Amino acid sequence: MTERLPVELPKAYRLLNHGPTVLVGSAHDGRRNVMAAAWSMPLDFSPPKVAVVIDRNTLTRELVEASGEFSLNVPARAIARETLAVGSVSGHDVDKFAPDTGVKAFEGSRIGAPLIEGCLAWLECRVIPEPHNQDRYDLFLGEVVAAWADPRAFRDGRWQFEPGVPRSLHYIAGGNFFETGAAFEVRA
Amino acid sequence: MTERLPVELPKAYRLLNHGPTVLVGSAHDGRRNVMAAAWSMPLDFSPPKVAVVIDRNTLTRELVEASGEFSLNVPARAIARETLAVGSVSGHDVDKFAPDTGVKAFEGSRIGAPLIEGCLAWLECRVIPEPHNQDRYDLFLGEVVAAWADPRAFRDGRWQFEPGVPRSLHYIAGGNFFETGAAFEVRA
């Protein structure tokens, strides 16, 4: 299992600030699911909040609305194939955690939604109910109640993608991704 | 001036799908401004919609609320310094288009808000009024009414960052950025 350390909540926004594609984990009443989402962003620093678009036709939508919880998981390039796969089929039709998928989950600390193995960071979120946004825009807001990161990739409150460290992903379309590129610093 | 070609609206989401940091342009009643925003995302495909967080203390907020319009501009690495600068000071205090800033604007086709030179793509947006989101979360939704891209970086409906082509940016914190990294394709 991937090592993980807690991320202090006021720095949790940094896990998403660079715009990576995420996996959304969900569970309710014995069912669970995971889907890919390119459309998520931080919404506030402290308490940390996030926004994510969850289409109304997905099983994820059903489970998130029923449970009031979801996880956001930042996948590493090593699981790009699985990221594409869980974004290409519906949990209504297949079990995305079936043994042949290679997708494995583990338990979070504060929510019942699954966290996904092979990711670089994990945010445990509780839905901030906003029925108008959900119904009209498929837009969900959440408060981050716990956050974790693989210390090889994120430590001391920042991403540290040294050579050999797996990087996060940015989805384009049609199976095409960018990986997170070179870090650099500028001074105003 | 950077060359630019129109992007067909159903593909405008692809300009933001990989999570780049953007510049938000705004204007009202003879005043104009630009700020950096790491917190934006696509919200729908067609008609294309976007979401962006605009803090209540910014001049941008005042101009966007008054005009009902904003531009989202995808800056290239070459203007990372300017991107940091316009995100570090307030338009209440300084003119971010003053000659010594190096920040230059040009006119959009459908909105009065300025578009920013040296960017790779431009989205002209009209606010979808959602006062509750604006007041409670600083969250603005917009419909994209025109979109443009530098054809060196985005053509035929997709980003094409060949060697020598300027890349987009992903902000971290404290003057630190990632540039958009290597493209790759996977098959499910």
Side-chain angles (χ1 to χ4, degrees), chain B residues 124-170:
Chain B
E124 302 184 32
C125 305
R126 291 218 176 96
V127 172
I128 301 168
E130 291 287 357
H132 173 71
N133 285 336
Q134 297 167 204
D135 294 346
R136 187 170 186 113
Y137 303 108
D138 295 341
L139 176 63
F140 284 74
L141 310 185
E143 181 175 339
V144 182
V145 295
W148 307 88
D150 177 342
R152 292 178 300 163
F154 186 98
R155 58 181 183 277
D156 302 329
R158 46 188 293 249
W159 290 106
Q160 318 222 13
F161 291 127
E162 280 124 27
V165 172
R167 288 171 179 261
S168 51
L169 301 173
H170 306 263

Side-chain angles (χ1 to χ4, degrees), chain A residues 17-19 39 41-43 84 128 130 132-133 137 169-172 175 177-186, chain B residues 17-19 39 41-44 84 128 130 132-133 137 170-172 175 177-186:
Chain A
N17 211 65
H18 66 301
W39 298 359
M41 65 178 183
L43 183 65
L84 180 66
I128 300 167
E130 289 288 357
H132 173 72
N133 286 335
Y137 302 108
L169 301 173
H170 305 263
Y171 190 59
I172 310 170
F177 294 83
F178 294 117
E179 75 172 27
T180 302
F184 65 97
E185 184 172 1
V186 300
Chain B
N17 211 66
H18 66 301
W39 299 358
M41 66 178 183
L43 184 65
D44 207 348
L84 181 66
I128 301 168
E130 291 287 357
H132 173 71
N133 285 336
Y137 303 108
H170 306 263
Y171 190 58
I172 309 170
F177 294 83
F178 293 116
E179 75 172 26
T180 302
F184 65 97
E185 183 172 2
V186 300

